Amino acid sequence: MTAFFQSLGMNYEWAWFVATVAGILLIALPLMLAVAMIIYVDRKVWAAIALRRGPNVVGPFGLLQSFADGLKVFLQETIIPSAANKGLFLIAPIVTFTVALLAWAVIPFGPEAVLADINIGLLYVLAISSLGVYGVVVSGWASNSKYPFFSAMRAAAQMISYEVSIGFLLVCVILWAGTSNMNGIIEAQRGHGLGIVNGFFFNPLLFPIWVMFLISALAETARAPFDLTEAESELVAGYQTEYSSMSFALFWLGEYANVLLMCALNAILFFGGWLPPLNVDLIPWFDIPGWIWLFAKIFMFFFIFSWVKATVPRFRYDQLMRLGWKVFLPLSLLFIVLVSGWLMLTRYGVAA
């Protein structure tokens, strides 16, 4: 894209700057539209499972319901509690929303369609996603209210607990792919399953890792059955209790952008990302653009997220902590040993 703007007569510095801004907008604006639409899809899936109709009034098939909700919160008054720390109270949702967008800089939508194709892409995502907890903790503390503070403490413990397991699980993927570059990981999955299937999920050693990663992603994004930070029967609305108007909307946008990010990571790390499902030429798979395959896989995982939320009851907090520390952490460490041992025996020929 930089070369394109240079061809219009710009020098390299201005061409790079304009190309970078254009790339950011090409990711951020469709992402915001996607968030609006997946909220609609989320509600439709919940309704279908509960034998209800869901949004069906605003626009054809209720498609404009999310935009109507967005307009409603935009026109509402922003109320700040008198005892709150006003500066931190307003900064917290901005932090949550901004951090949710930053991680998308390294998500590849095609072989060349990525804003920042860096060698440590996966480590960048892990680092950025870990910053999201700051917005939640700051909002709970700045509200100067009992229930938001309890929710912030829960969120901090929950996200730290499952980030540890996610980190170890990602080490297994990096070991097998031999790189932490996102496109490199996708290319390592080409024909991985018997030379036909594109994806690490077909690997008997990596399939359990994907299952643990999917469950940890649900916990990391505080989705049901791990939505202890917003447990309405205990904490009203959790850390969002004192928020209204656009500050409340920013939390929602950040939450769903994070959910989409975790769906994208599931697709990229274990299901071939922008690659077609099968590595065969009998069907013209490769004539379909890579971003369509990636979006289809993201939608599949989002459906799983919605399905789980609509059907699985909420965990108790002790069950949540037990799963993270006593089950996933030992298992993730065990799989690091198994994966590295297998690679040393087969790929690097230690036995010889």
Side-chain angles (χ1 to χ4, degrees), residues 46 151 154 158 162 218-219 222-238 255 307-321 323:
W46 301 342
S151 172
R154 282 186 175 188
Q158 177 173 332
Y162 283 87
L218 288 168
R223 293 278 293 187
F226 307 111
D227 54 341
L228 275 301
T229 59
E230 304 166 31
E232 69 280 350
S233 60
E234 306 164 20
L235 301 175
V236 188
E255 177 182 334
W307 188 3
V308 170
K309 183 165 186 173
T311 54
V312 181
R314 181 181 294 131
F315 273 36
R316 292 197 319 267
Y317 200 72
D318 62 300
Q319 294 173 326
L320 175 77
M321 289 291 104
L323 182 65

Side-chain angles (χ1 to χ4, degrees), residues 9 42 57 68 124 225 276 305 335:
D42 218 3
V57 175
Y124 170 86
F305 273 53
F335 273 98

Side-chain angles (χ1 to χ4, degrees), residues 17 27 44 69 71 75 118 127 137 149 160 192 205 207 224 227 230 244 287 303 320 323 331 337 340-341:
F17 177 76
I27 293 174
K44 276 291 191 182
D69 292 340
L71 180 63
L75 297 175
I118 58 178
V137 171
F149 185 71
I160 290 171
H192 184 73
L205 267 179
F207 180 80
D227 54 341
E230 304 166 31
S244 62
D287 294 338
F303 176 77
L320 175 77
L323 182 65
L331 281 178
V337 175
S340 57

Side-chain angles (χ1 to χ4, degrees), residues 124-191:
Y124 170 86
V125 170
L126 186 62
I128 289 294
S129 62
S130 67
L131 296 177
V133 69
Y134 286 105
V136 176
V137 171
V138 169
S139 67
W141 184 85
S143 296
N144 199 18
S145 179
K146 177 172 61 177
Y147 292 129
F149 185 71
F150 288 164
S151 172
M153 294 300 98
R154 282 186 175 188
Q158 177 173 332
M159 291 184 182
I160 290 171
S161 300
Y162 283 87
E163 272 171 11
V164 174
S165 298
I166 286 178
F168 286 133
L169 295 173
L170 294 184
V171 167
C172 297
V173 176
I174 293 172
L175 285 172
W176 203 284
T179 178
S180 59
N181 176 273
M182 291 296 210
N183 272 323
I185 292 172
I186 292 173
E187 284 293 344
Q189 298 175 65
R190 189 185 293 272

